[in-house]
Amino acid sequence: MASLLPVIILCPLLVSVILILTGGRLSARPTTLLVGAGMGLCALLSIYVSCNFLAGPVSDGAIHTTLWNWISVDNFSAQVGLTLDRLSVVMLLVVSCVGFLILIYACAYMYDDKDIGRFFAYMTLFVASMLLLVLASDLTVLFVGWEGVGLCSYLLIGFWYHERPNALAARKAFVVTRIGDALFLLGLFVFATAAGTLDIPSLILAAPGLPHHLLTLGMFFLLGGAMAKSAQVPLQTWLPDAMAGPTPVSALIHAATMVTAGVYLLARLHDALLLTPAVMHVCAVVGFVTILLAAGSALVQTDIKRILAYSTMSQLGYMYLAIGCGAWHGAIFHLVTHAFFKALLFMTAGTIILRLHHEQDIFRMGGLRQRMPGVFAAFLIGSAALAGLPLVTAGYFSKEMILQDAFNVAPLYWAGALLGAFMTSIYIFRCVFIVFWGGTRTHDHGRTGLAMALPMSVLAVLSIAGGWMQIPDAIYPVHLFSNLLRPVLGPIAEEHGSALLIIGSIVPLIGVTMAWFLWRPKNQAPQPAGGVLIETLRADWGFDAVYNAAVSRPYEIVARINQSDFIDRFYGLVGLMVYSLGWLFAKFQNGQVRRYACWVAAATVVALYLAV
């Protein structure tokens, strides 16, 4: 079974290599067949391996396979190896199965694009990199997958690079995530120096014996890397602009892969994280702040994809809050349910955009409930799951798990997360009521094909039933998910009874009701709000303006001053001085012996004078 782990990664990787080597010479039909076969085999193998692992005798431990020795220098060595335990089983199934559904959807979405081969070469390479990341047994190998998803995100966000905003968005994502990658690399250097290994199980065993300041420093660096990858404050500015990429890219990046890599990394290292309470505290604060700031921005956005982008940041904030509170189960459970409903929301948004002639402004939509009943049902289910409507959605159960654990650590965290849930229900149902109710403002065309409808149907079911894996005792005790991860993440915390559960259930309903009163169908078409505060919120609280003033502008000024390369001029001056001295001394070489004798005599007199 361990030998199948590299095969799972090779399936999408080979598809990518074939598409790159053929250089776009394959037409759309063989390209989509190749992608469907490769990703389908990858998903089937993932399910097969996971089922066999969970039914096998080592299901409480892990299976490991070493492919080759990569680095061996003095006391440090690194191996290219893959490990499967219960945590990586969860991630493996999410990446391969949700990724398969997204790529099937993308086959229909991108069918008419002339660069479809290049698109799927990047997408399948992206999936292969993410699979390497979740199966890596060593942080150096994990870093290779980490960089792979970063590179592919740059290529995919700027896929339509002939449009300047897309190219700028790709460059912005690349630069911001490189900051996190640099921090990640510094963390690896700290641990490689202090522990002499980056093998994850060995590092966790060695962590209690490491000097505390080095352990804390290393974990802070890794947290910084995770924050950039997951678009957490203050490194979140790249993610809303990443909506410039094709919608299936948004679904893949925002739902099942790249942005969740940081959450997975921290959960994988949770034993070391427990030894550094300062890092956990910062992680919780970062998640807490991101929940509220991102939800505040989502409330005033007019672009349907940007609303979903800010909701991704906010939901990732819940996962970081859970990690900071030690609620590992809640973080991973919300990661799973979020993959279901966020992929569903992006797919339905992409379908709407296609059928409305690429219109993305929600205030130019309206009345789609009757014209797109299937899309409406799917978007409504995804929105309900995102808002965490009680009992009937997966998002409710995973968010409740985080709220309960946040209350255990600090009631303030619980109150902030609850406020975030209230704002979430308002902004997503604002979108629902404006887009699907009221009069028609843009005419639609075409129909939604089976290749797009089928993945959305599967994800709609998962967005409802996916939460039944973990139900609070106060409702009906089901602990399938926490029991699955117990051997890796330990037991879950005790629940707080029904009072918190009731409050957490009522708050989203109040938010939906408020959204209805504010944006229900009226005589006049709804208009976006204006004003300085609204524009500030819409512009991501002014983070971009601050970064432009504090970083980009000074850099541009220095670059402008140095456009003639004054540093090079300094070295040019040194060269000129050497040349001038050489020219001067060359004047003495005139071939007249008596002058040489005079210079020798003069030099002798000077030497004697100095000696005396």
Side-chain angles (χ1 to χ4, degrees), residues 125-171:
L125 182 61
F126 194 110
V127 174
S129 300
M130 192 66 195
L131 288 170
L132 178 65
L133 190 153
V134 302
L135 291 174
S137 63
D138 190 288
L139 285 177
T140 47
V141 180
L142 190 149
F143 186 69
V144 174
W146 187 277
E147 286 297 293
V149 295
L151 171 65
C152 292
S153 70
Y154 166 73
L155 296 171
L156 287 166
I157 293 168
F159 178 72
W160 291 317
Y161 57 85
H162 50 277
E163 296 178 17
R164 181 174 168 77
N166 297 7
L168 292 177
R171 189 177 67 183

Short mmCIF file of all heavy atoms in Angstrom, two decimals, residues 125-171:
data_model
loop_
_atom_site.label_atom_id
_atom_site.label_comp_id
_atom_site.label_asym_id
_atom_site.label_seq_id
_atom_site.Cartn_x
_atom_site.Cartn_y
_atom_site.Cartn_z
N LEU A 125 -0.41 20.24 -12.27
CA LEU A 125 0.83 20.41 -11.52
C LEU A 125 0.54 20.96 -10.13
O LEU A 125 1.19 20.59 -9.14
CB LEU A 125 1.78 21.35 -12.28
CG LEU A 125 3.15 21.59 -11.65
CD1 LEU A 125 3.93 20.28 -11.53
CD2 LEU A 125 3.95 22.61 -12.46
N PHE A 126 -0.44 21.83 -10.06
CA PHE A 126 -0.88 22.39 -8.77
C PHE A 126 -1.35 21.27 -7.84
O PHE A 126 -0.95 21.19 -6.66
CB PHE A 126 -2.02 23.38 -9.03
CG PHE A 126 -2.36 24.28 -7.88
CD1 PHE A 126 -2.06 25.63 -7.93
CD2 PHE A 126 -2.97 23.79 -6.75
CE1 PHE A 126 -2.37 26.46 -6.87
CE2 PHE A 126 -3.29 24.60 -5.69
CZ PHE A 126 -2.99 25.95 -5.76
N VAL A 127 -2.21 20.39 -8.36
CA VAL A 127 -2.73 19.29 -7.53
C VAL A 127 -1.59 18.35 -7.10
O VAL A 127 -1.52 17.92 -5.94
CB VAL A 127 -3.81 18.51 -8.30
CG1 VAL A 127 -4.26 17.29 -7.51
CG2 VAL A 127 -5.01 19.41 -8.59
N ALA A 128 -0.68 18.05 -8.02
CA ALA A 128 0.44 17.18 -7.68
C ALA A 128 1.30 17.80 -6.58
O ALA A 128 1.74 17.10 -5.64
CB ALA A 128 1.30 16.92 -8.93
N SER A 129 1.53 19.10 -6.65
CA SER A 129 2.33 19.78 -5.62
C SER A 129 1.62 19.73 -4.28
O SER A 129 2.26 19.52 -3.23
CB SER A 129 2.56 21.24 -6.03
OG SER A 129 3.26 21.32 -7.24
N MET A 130 0.31 19.91 -4.30
CA MET A 130 -0.44 19.88 -3.03
C MET A 130 -0.44 18.48 -2.43
O MET A 130 -0.34 18.31 -1.21
CB MET A 130 -1.88 20.36 -3.28
CG MET A 130 -2.66 20.64 -2.01
SD MET A 130 -2.01 22.03 -1.09
CE MET A 130 -2.83 21.79 0.50
N LEU A 131 -0.53 17.46 -3.27
CA LEU A 131 -0.48 16.08 -2.77
C LEU A 131 0.90 15.78 -2.15
O LEU A 131 1.00 15.11 -1.12
CB LEU A 131 -0.77 15.10 -3.91
CG LEU A 131 -2.23 15.08 -4.39
CD1 LEU A 131 -2.35 14.27 -5.68
CD2 LEU A 131 -3.14 14.50 -3.32
N LEU A 132 1.96 16.28 -2.80
CA LEU A 132 3.29 16.11 -2.23
C LEU A 132 3.38 16.79 -0.87
O LEU A 132 3.98 16.25 0.08
CB LEU A 132 4.34 16.70 -3.19
CG LEU A 132 5.80 16.64 -2.71
CD1 LEU A 132 6.27 15.19 -2.58
CD2 LEU A 132 6.72 17.40 -3.68
N LEU A 133 2.77 17.96 -0.76
CA LEU A 133 2.81 18.72 0.49
C LEU A 133 2.14 17.94 1.64
O LEU A 133 2.67 17.88 2.74
CB LEU A 133 2.12 20.06 0.26
CG LEU A 133 2.22 21.14 1.33
CD1 LEU A 133 2.07 22.51 0.68
CD2 LEU A 133 1.18 21.00 2.42
N VAL A 134 0.98 17.36 1.37
CA VAL A 134 0.25 16.71 2.46
C VAL A 134 0.80 15.32 2.79
O VAL A 134 0.55 14.80 3.88
CB VAL A 134 -1.26 16.60 2.16
CG1 VAL A 134 -1.85 17.98 1.92
CG2 VAL A 134 -1.54 15.70 0.97
N LEU A 135 1.54 14.72 1.86
CA LEU A 135 2.08 13.39 2.12
C LEU A 135 3.55 13.42 2.56
O LEU A 135 4.09 12.37 2.94
CB LEU A 135 1.95 12.50 0.87
CG LEU A 135 0.53 12.10 0.47
CD1 LEU A 135 0.53 11.35 -0.86
CD2 LEU A 135 -0.12 11.24 1.56
N ALA A 136 4.18 14.58 2.52
CA ALA A 136 5.61 14.66 2.84
C ALA A 136 5.87 14.27 4.28
O ALA A 136 5.14 14.64 5.20
CB ALA A 136 6.10 16.09 2.58
N SER A 137 6.94 13.51 4.47
CA SER A 137 7.33 13.12 5.83
C SER A 137 8.43 14.00 6.37
O SER A 137 8.81 13.88 7.53
CB SER A 137 7.80 11.67 5.83
OG SER A 137 8.96 11.53 5.01
N ASP A 138 8.95 14.88 5.54
CA ASP A 138 10.08 15.73 5.92
C ASP A 138 9.74 17.17 5.51
O ASP A 138 9.12 17.40 4.48
CB ASP A 138 11.34 15.24 5.17
CG ASP A 138 12.60 15.90 5.68
OD1 ASP A 138 12.78 17.09 5.41
OD2 ASP A 138 13.38 15.21 6.35
N LEU A 139 10.15 18.13 6.35
CA LEU A 139 9.81 19.52 6.06
C LEU A 139 10.47 20.03 4.78
O LEU A 139 9.96 20.94 4.14
CB LEU A 139 10.19 20.42 7.24
CG LEU A 139 9.26 20.33 8.47
CD1 LEU A 139 9.78 21.21 9.60
CD2 LEU A 139 7.84 20.72 8.12
N THR A 140 11.62 19.47 4.42
CA THR A 140 12.26 19.91 3.17
C THR A 140 11.42 19.49 1.96
O THR A 140 11.27 20.25 1.00
CB THR A 140 13.68 19.34 3.04
OG1 THR A 140 13.66 17.95 3.33
CG2 THR A 140 14.64 20.04 3.97
N VAL A 141 10.90 18.27 2.01
CA VAL A 141 10.03 17.80 0.92
C VAL A 141 8.72 18.58 0.93
O VAL A 141 8.19 18.96 -0.12
CB VAL A 141 9.76 16.29 1.06
CG1 VAL A 141 8.86 15.79 -0.08
CG2 VAL A 141 11.07 15.52 1.06
N LEU A 142 8.20 18.83 2.13
CA LEU A 142 6.98 19.63 2.24
C LEU A 142 7.20 21.02 1.63
O LEU A 142 6.32 21.56 0.97
CB LEU A 142 6.59 19.74 3.72
CG LEU A 142 5.22 20.35 4.04
CD1 LEU A 142 4.67 19.73 5.33
CD2 LEU A 142 5.27 21.85 4.19
N PHE A 143 8.41 21.55 1.83
CA PHE A 143 8.71 22.88 1.27
C PHE A 143 8.72 22.86 -0.26
O PHE A 143 8.35 23.85 -0.89
CB PHE A 143 10.05 23.36 1.81
CG PHE A 143 10.39 24.77 1.41
CD1 PHE A 143 9.68 25.85 1.93
CD2 PHE A 143 11.41 25.03 0.52
CE1 PHE A 143 9.98 27.15 1.57
CE2 PHE A 143 11.72 26.33 0.15
CZ PHE A 143 11.00 27.40 0.68
N VAL A 144 9.13 21.74 -0.84
CA VAL A 144 9.10 21.62 -2.30
C VAL A 144 7.65 21.71 -2.79
O VAL A 144 7.33 22.43 -3.75
CB VAL A 144 9.75 20.30 -2.76
CG1 VAL A 144 9.57 20.11 -4.27
CG2 VAL A 144 11.23 20.29 -2.41
N GLY A 145 6.75 20.96 -2.14
CA GLY A 145 5.33 21.06 -2.50
C GLY A 145 4.78 22.45 -2.24
O GLY A 145 3.99 22.98 -3.01
N TRP A 146 5.23 23.05 -1.15
CA TRP A 146 4.81 24.41 -0.77
C TRP A 146 5.18 25.40 -1.87
O TRP A 146 4.37 26.26 -2.26
CB TRP A 146 5.53 24.75 0.54
CG TRP A 146 5.17 26.01 1.22
CD1 TRP A 146 5.66 27.25 0.94
CD2 TRP A 146 4.25 26.18 2.32
NE1 TRP A 146 5.12 28.17 1.80
CE2 TRP A 146 4.26 27.55 2.66
CE3 TRP A 146 3.45 25.32 3.04
CZ2 TRP A 146 3.49 28.07 3.69
CZ3 TRP A 146 2.68 25.83 4.08
CH2 TRP A 146 2.70 27.17 4.38
N GLU A 147 6.39 25.31 -2.37
CA GLU A 147 6.84 26.19 -3.45
C GLU A 147 6.12 25.87 -4.75
O GLU A 147 5.85 26.76 -5.57
CB GLU A 147 8.35 26.05 -3.63
CG GLU A 147 9.16 26.73 -2.55
CD GLU A 147 8.94 28.23 -2.53
OE1 GLU A 147 9.32 28.90 -3.48
OE2 GLU A 147 8.34 28.71 -1.55
N GLY A 148 5.83 24.58 -4.96
CA GLY A 148 5.13 24.18 -6.18
C GLY A 148 3.76 24.82 -6.28
O GLY A 148 3.38 25.35 -7.33
N VAL A 149 2.99 24.81 -5.18
CA VAL A 149 1.66 25.43 -5.23
C VAL A 149 1.79 26.95 -5.38
O VAL A 149 0.95 27.59 -6.02
CB VAL A 149 0.80 25.07 -3.99
CG1 VAL A 149 0.49 23.59 -3.96
CG2 VAL A 149 1.45 25.50 -2.71
N GLY A 150 2.86 27.53 -4.80
CA GLY A 150 3.06 28.97 -4.95
C GLY A 150 3.35 29.34 -6.40
O GLY A 150 2.79 30.31 -6.93
N LEU A 151 4.21 28.56 -7.05
CA LEU A 151 4.52 28.82 -8.46
C LEU A 151 3.28 28.66 -9.33
O LEU A 151 2.99 29.50 -10.20
CB LEU A 151 5.63 27.86 -8.93
CG LEU A 151 5.92 27.86 -10.43
CD1 LEU A 151 6.48 29.22 -10.86
CD2 LEU A 151 6.90 26.75 -10.80
N CYS A 152 2.54 27.57 -9.10
CA CYS A 152 1.35 27.32 -9.93
C CYS A 152 0.28 28.38 -9.70
O CYS A 152 -0.44 28.75 -10.65
CB CYS A 152 0.79 25.93 -9.63
SG CYS A 152 1.86 24.59 -10.17
N SER A 153 0.15 28.86 -8.48
CA SER A 153 -0.84 29.91 -8.23
C SER A 153 -0.48 31.16 -9.02
O SER A 153 -1.36 31.83 -9.58
CB SER A 153 -0.93 30.22 -6.74
OG SER A 153 0.23 30.87 -6.28
N TYR A 154 0.81 31.48 -9.08
CA TYR A 154 1.26 32.64 -9.87
C TYR A 154 0.90 32.44 -11.35
O TYR A 154 0.37 33.35 -12.01
CB TYR A 154 2.77 32.81 -9.71
CG TYR A 154 3.41 33.74 -10.72
CD1 TYR A 154 3.23 35.11 -10.64
CD2 TYR A 154 4.17 33.23 -11.76
CE1 TYR A 154 3.80 35.96 -11.58
CE2 TYR A 154 4.75 34.07 -12.70
CZ TYR A 154 4.56 35.43 -12.60
OH TYR A 154 5.11 36.26 -13.53
N LEU A 155 1.16 31.25 -11.87
CA LEU A 155 0.89 30.98 -13.28
C LEU A 155 -0.61 30.99 -13.58
O LEU A 155 -1.04 31.43 -14.66
CB LEU A 155 1.49 29.63 -13.68
CG LEU A 155 3.02 29.54 -13.59
CD1 LEU A 155 3.47 28.10 -13.80
CD2 LEU A 155 3.67 30.45 -14.62
N LEU A 156 -1.41 30.50 -12.63
CA LEU A 156 -2.85 30.39 -12.86
C LEU A 156 -3.57 31.72 -12.65
O LEU A 156 -4.51 32.04 -13.38
CB LEU A 156 -3.44 29.31 -11.95
CG LEU A 156 -3.09 27.88 -12.37
CD1 LEU A 156 -3.41 26.89 -11.25
CD2 LEU A 156 -3.85 27.50 -13.63
N ILE A 157 -3.16 32.48 -11.65
CA ILE A 157 -3.80 33.79 -11.43
C ILE A 157 -3.54 34.69 -12.65
O ILE A 157 -4.42 35.42 -13.08
CB ILE A 157 -3.27 34.43 -10.14
CG1 ILE A 157 -3.73 33.63 -8.92
CG2 ILE A 157 -3.76 35.88 -10.01
CD1 ILE A 157 -3.04 34.01 -7.63
N GLY A 158 -2.34 34.60 -13.18
CA GLY A 158 -2.02 35.40 -14.36
C GLY A 158 -2.21 34.63 -15.65
O GLY A 158 -1.52 34.92 -16.65
N PHE A 159 -3.12 33.66 -15.67
CA PHE A 159 -3.28 32.81 -16.85
C PHE A 159 -3.61 33.65 -18.09
O PHE A 159 -3.05 33.45 -19.16
CB PHE A 159 -4.37 31.77 -16.60
CG PHE A 159 -4.65 30.90 -17.77
CD1 PHE A 159 -3.74 29.93 -18.17
CD2 PHE A 159 -5.82 31.05 -18.51
CE1 PHE A 159 -3.98 29.13 -19.28
CE2 PHE A 159 -6.07 30.25 -19.61
CZ PHE A 159 -5.15 29.29 -20.00
N TRP A 160 -4.55 34.60 -17.93
CA TRP A 160 -4.85 35.52 -19.03
C TRP A 160 -3.93 36.73 -18.89
O TRP A 160 -4.36 37.85 -18.59
CB TRP A 160 -6.31 35.92 -19.00
CG TRP A 160 -7.22 34.75 -19.34
CD1 TRP A 160 -7.05 33.84 -20.33
CD2 TRP A 160 -8.45 34.38 -18.68
NE1 TRP A 160 -8.08 32.92 -20.35
CE2 TRP A 160 -8.96 33.24 -19.35
CE3 TRP A 160 -9.16 34.90 -17.61
CZ2 TRP A 160 -10.15 32.61 -18.96
CZ3 TRP A 160 -10.34 34.28 -17.23
CH2 TRP A 160 -10.82 33.15 -17.91
N TYR A 161 -2.64 36.51 -19.07
CA TYR A 161 -1.63 37.51 -18.74
C TYR A 161 -1.62 38.71 -19.69
O TYR A 161 -0.99 39.73 -19.42
CB TYR A 161 -0.23 36.87 -18.74
CG TYR A 161 0.14 36.22 -20.03
CD1 TYR A 161 0.70 36.94 -21.07
CD2 TYR A 161 -0.08 34.85 -20.23
CE1 TYR A 161 1.03 36.33 -22.27
CE2 TYR A 161 0.23 34.24 -21.43
CZ TYR A 161 0.79 34.97 -22.44
OH TYR A 161 1.10 34.37 -23.63
N HIS A 162 -2.29 38.59 -20.84
CA HIS A 162 -2.33 39.72 -21.75
C HIS A 162 -3.16 40.87 -21.20
O HIS A 162 -3.10 41.98 -21.72
CB HIS A 162 -2.88 39.28 -23.11
CG HIS A 162 -4.18 38.53 -23.01
ND1 HIS A 162 -4.23 37.19 -22.74
CD2 HIS A 162 -5.45 38.95 -23.10
CE1 HIS A 162 -5.50 36.79 -22.69
NE2 HIS A 162 -6.26 37.84 -22.89
N GLU A 163 -3.96 40.59 -20.15
CA GLU A 163 -4.71 41.67 -19.49
C GLU A 163 -3.88 42.14 -18.29
O GLU A 163 -3.54 41.35 -17.41
CB GLU A 163 -6.08 41.18 -19.04
CG GLU A 163 -6.97 40.77 -20.22
CD GLU A 163 -8.31 40.22 -19.77
OE1 GLU A 163 -8.69 40.46 -18.60
OE2 GLU A 163 -8.96 39.55 -20.58
N ARG A 164 -3.58 43.43 -18.26
CA ARG A 164 -2.65 43.98 -17.28
C ARG A 164 -3.09 43.71 -15.82
O ARG A 164 -2.25 43.32 -15.01
CB ARG A 164 -2.50 45.49 -17.51
CG ARG A 164 -1.54 46.16 -16.55
CD ARG A 164 -1.31 47.63 -16.92
NE ARG A 164 -0.62 48.35 -15.87
CZ ARG A 164 0.67 48.28 -15.61
NH1 ARG A 164 1.43 47.50 -16.35
NH2 ARG A 164 1.22 48.97 -14.63
N PRO A 165 -4.38 43.90 -15.45
CA PRO A 165 -4.77 43.62 -14.05
C PRO A 165 -4.45 42.18 -13.63
O PRO A 165 -4.08 41.93 -12.48
CB PRO A 165 -6.27 43.89 -14.05
CG PRO A 165 -6.49 44.84 -15.17
CD PRO A 165 -5.52 44.44 -16.23
N ASN A 166 -4.61 41.24 -14.55
CA ASN A 166 -4.32 39.85 -14.21
C ASN A 166 -2.83 39.65 -13.94
O ASN A 166 -2.44 38.96 -12.98
CB ASN A 166 -4.75 38.93 -15.35
CG ASN A 166 -6.24 38.97 -15.59
OD1 ASN A 166 -6.94 39.78 -14.99
ND2 ASN A 166 -6.73 38.12 -16.47
N ALA A 167 -2.00 40.25 -14.80
CA ALA A 167 -0.55 40.13 -14.60
C ALA A 167 -0.12 40.78 -13.29
O ALA A 167 0.71 40.24 -12.55
CB ALA A 167 0.18 40.78 -15.78
N LEU A 168 -0.72 41.94 -12.96
CA LEU A 168 -0.38 42.60 -11.70
C LEU A 168 -0.84 41.78 -10.50
O LEU A 168 -0.13 41.69 -9.48
CB LEU A 168 -1.02 43.99 -11.66
CG LEU A 168 -0.46 45.02 -12.66
CD1 LEU A 168 -1.24 46.32 -12.57
CD2 LEU A 168 1.02 45.27 -12.39
N ALA A 169 -2.03 41.18 -10.60
CA ALA A 169 -2.53 40.35 -9.49
C ALA A 169 -1.62 39.15 -9.27
O ALA A 169 -1.33 38.77 -8.13
CB ALA A 169 -3.95 39.90 -9.79
N ALA A 170 -1.17 38.53 -10.36
CA ALA A 170 -0.27 37.37 -10.24
C ALA A 170 1.05 37.79 -9.59
O ALA A 170 1.57 37.09 -8.71
CB ALA A 170 -0.01 36.77 -11.62
N ARG A 171 1.56 38.94 -10.02
CA ARG A 171 2.83 39.40 -9.44
C ARG A 171 2.67 39.73 -7.96
O ARG A 171 3.55 39.41 -7.14
CB ARG A 171 3.31 40.65 -10.20
CG ARG A 171 4.71 41.08 -9.82
CD ARG A 171 5.14 42.26 -10.64
NE ARG A 171 4.36 43.46 -10.34
CZ ARG A 171 4.51 44.62 -10.97
NH1 ARG A 171 5.37 44.73 -11.95
NH2 ARG A 171 3.78 45.66 -10.64
#
